[in-house]
Amino acid sequence: QVQLVESGGGLVQAGGSLRLSCAASGSIFSLNTMGWYRQAPGKQRDLVATITFGGSTNYADSVKGRFTISRDNAKNTVYLRMNSLKPEDTAVYYCNLDQRLLSTIYNYWGQGTQVTVSS
């Protein structure tokens, strides 16, 4: 099993910055992708950014140039640096780990951390 524990959410004014962290523990395999998704009230959960074990990244168009995802493989931790925050970034942010063993894909979610951006 895998546990994901997020931290770093909070309330910030528009234009401000926050950094989210997510530490994974348990049965972690090397071939994994970690990422962040977010869900605003009444909306579906959407991709924010992902990063592979080797460091390849992918971002939603809405956050490109403002958010940076990174990871520390030794600590099994992924980070999301969020700059120039906008009110529309307000959501619950969820950490995700996606790993593969042979032909089986295992997908795990954190409990979520609230990010609120005031105008």
Side-chain angles (χ1 to χ4, degrees):
Q1 263 294 3
V2 171
Q3 295 79 41
L4 302 175
V5 178
E6 299 124 331
S7 61
L11 173 65
V12 64
Q13 288 187 332
S17 298
L18 282 174
R19 190 179 83 151
L20 305 182
S21 300
C22 172
S25 61
S27 300
I28 310 295
F29 309 139
S30 294
L31 293 178
N32 67 70
T33 295
M34 298 188 76
W36 292 94
Y37 292 72
R38 66 188 181 186
Q39 187 168 18
K43 296 189 177 181
Q44 66 181 18
R45 189 175 297 186
D46 292 325
L47 167 75
V48 175
T50 61
I51 184 167
T52 66
F53 188 86
S56 296
T57 58
N58 180 48
Y59 294 93
D61 287 343
S62 60
V63 306
K64 284 180 180 177
R66 300 188 298 122
F67 291 10
T68 303
I69 190 170
S70 60
R71 63 186 291 167
D72 183 334
N73 290 332
K75 296 181 179 179
N76 290 322
T77 299
V78 64
Y79 306 96
L80 184 69
R81 177 67 179 181
M82 305 184 292
N83 295 329
S84 302
L85 282 161
K86 304 175 181 180
E88 51 263 44
D89 294 317
T90 295
V92 177
Y93 283 69
Y94 295 92
C95 178
N96 176 266
L97 185 146
D98 187 349
Q99 59 185 10
R100 180 169 301 184
L101 178 62
L102 299 178
S103 60
T104 302
I105 297 174
Y106 299 87
N107 192 260
Y108 303 93
W109 293 94
Q111 79 284 356
T113 185
Q114 178 70 46
V115 171
T116 302
V117 184
S118 63
S119 57

